[in-house]
Amino acid sequence: MFHTVWGSGCGVRTVHTLLTCGVTLLLLLHHPDLSPQENAWIHLPTLMFVLMVTCSTALYYGVSLMDPGYVLSDCNEKYPLSAANDKQEMTSLSQGALRMRRCGYCLLKQPMRARHCKSCQRCVRRYDHHCPWIENCVGEKNHRVFIFYLVLQLLVLLWAVRIACDCTSRIVSAALEYNAGCNSGSVMYVQSDCTSRIVRTSPCRDLGRVAACQHLFACGVWCVIAVFTVVVSLLLVSHMYLISCNVTTWEFMSHHRIAYLKQCDSDTNPFDRGLIRNVWSFFCTCGNVVWERLYFRDAITTV
């Protein structure tokens, strides 16, 4: 963990926590499948849903507080290339053609695929983007945790959408029953000395107002959940596509402005090693990756 809970982004994390707890509590109170039951086995969906929400919140705090891969000093940025002896001269020439860039803010040498984040005020290895929702950069060290968080968050949201739809349908059905009851027989006669008149019972009006408020409230909750579901789905799909190509969001959006990509065609990615190897290296590689090796190795093989 690099950040503190009460440090930068405390407000965003507080809003996320309150929103998550509030929506979860409302779903637990209004949906019969998640409310307490006499049968112990019926508690299983409730426990599973609460457990998934808890794990999702834990992953959120993990990706928000952990070090995304900050470049700390120049002394740690040494990249010996493991090429054959007969290609060492060619490797040095390739290195000389593309020197490591020194950051104009941190004054540190940036390894390949690193970028300075103006929000975090640090250089980040394999910089992908700065996410305002987690108030942290997504980089080499926390990108995997970010993907796990998106997957689990999407599962929770899909479950919440189903629950919200059920709640909305039940409230609408109850409102229709109330209206039918009021229109059919919920009336009373009030007699006076001269006339008699028919007046609707006040309970029907009260129940109608309550049903209407519940319906509007359920629709609002459903809209909030649906919006977050669409956003998380699009974000997860886009990230999985970029991972399969071994491209970061920054590289995808700024290909024409990045020095080590300007020398390549727009359709060429020097870090692409195929779908399987890209996905495997992303999820199964631990520690810092020396991207210069892969970049200059491809340059050597093409000579």
Side-chain angles (χ1 to χ4, degrees), residues 1 30 43 98 116 130 137 147 195 199 214 216 224 243 272:
M1 295 294 179
H30 288 83
H43 288 287
L98 188 65
H116 183 86
H130 182 88
C137 284
I147 296 299
T195 61
V199 181
Q214 288 181 346
L216 292 176
V224 171
I243 290 170
D272 188 7

Side-chain angles (χ1 to χ4, degrees), residues 2-63:
F2 188 85
H3 303 282
T4 59
V5 177
W6 305 109
S8 177
C10 174
V12 176
R13 287 188 286 270
T14 302
V15 171
H16 177 275
T17 304
L18 294 177
L19 185 62
T20 302
C21 295
V23 173
T24 303
L25 183 61
L26 290 174
L27 294 176
L28 291 176
L29 292 177
H30 288 83
H31 196 270
D33 294 342
L34 296 181
S35 58
Q37 304 287 340
E38 294 181 359
N39 190 352
W41 288 104
I42 305 181
H43 288 287
L44 185 60
T46 305
L47 295 177
M48 290 181 60
F49 184 75
V50 173
L51 179 62
M52 290 180 63
V53 172
T54 304
C55 293
S56 174
T57 305
L59 284 177
Y60 169 81
Y61 275 90
V63 72

Side-chain angles (χ1 to χ4, degrees), residues 77-92:
E77 313 302 327
K78 297 180 180 180
Y79 304 104
L81 301 180
S82 58
N85 294 331
D86 56 346
K87 297 182 179 179
Q88 288 182 354
E89 182 178 358
M90 193 176 301
T91 303
S92 61

Side-chain angles (χ1 to χ4, degrees), residues 92-147:
S92 61
L93 291 175
S94 300
Q95 280 187 296
L98 188 65
R99 296 181 180 179
M100 294 178 62
R101 179 179 178 273
R102 185 174 291 275
C103 177
Y105 299 93
C106 301
L107 301 180
L108 298 175
K109 289 184 179 180
Q110 291 181 341
M112 187 168 287
R113 310 189 80 178
R115 184 176 185 265
H116 183 86
C117 177
K118 295 182 180 180
S119 299
C120 297
Q121 298 182 355
R122 289 178 178 271
C123 290
V124 181
R125 290 175 173 271
R126 196 184 177 275
Y127 176 86
D128 188 88
H129 71 286
H130 182 88
C131 181
W133 184 240
I134 65 174
E135 196 57 35
N136 194 13
C137 284
V138 177
E140 192 170 64
K141 289 187 178 181
N142 67 343
H143 201 169
R144 283 187 295 270
V145 183
F146 182 72
I147 296 299

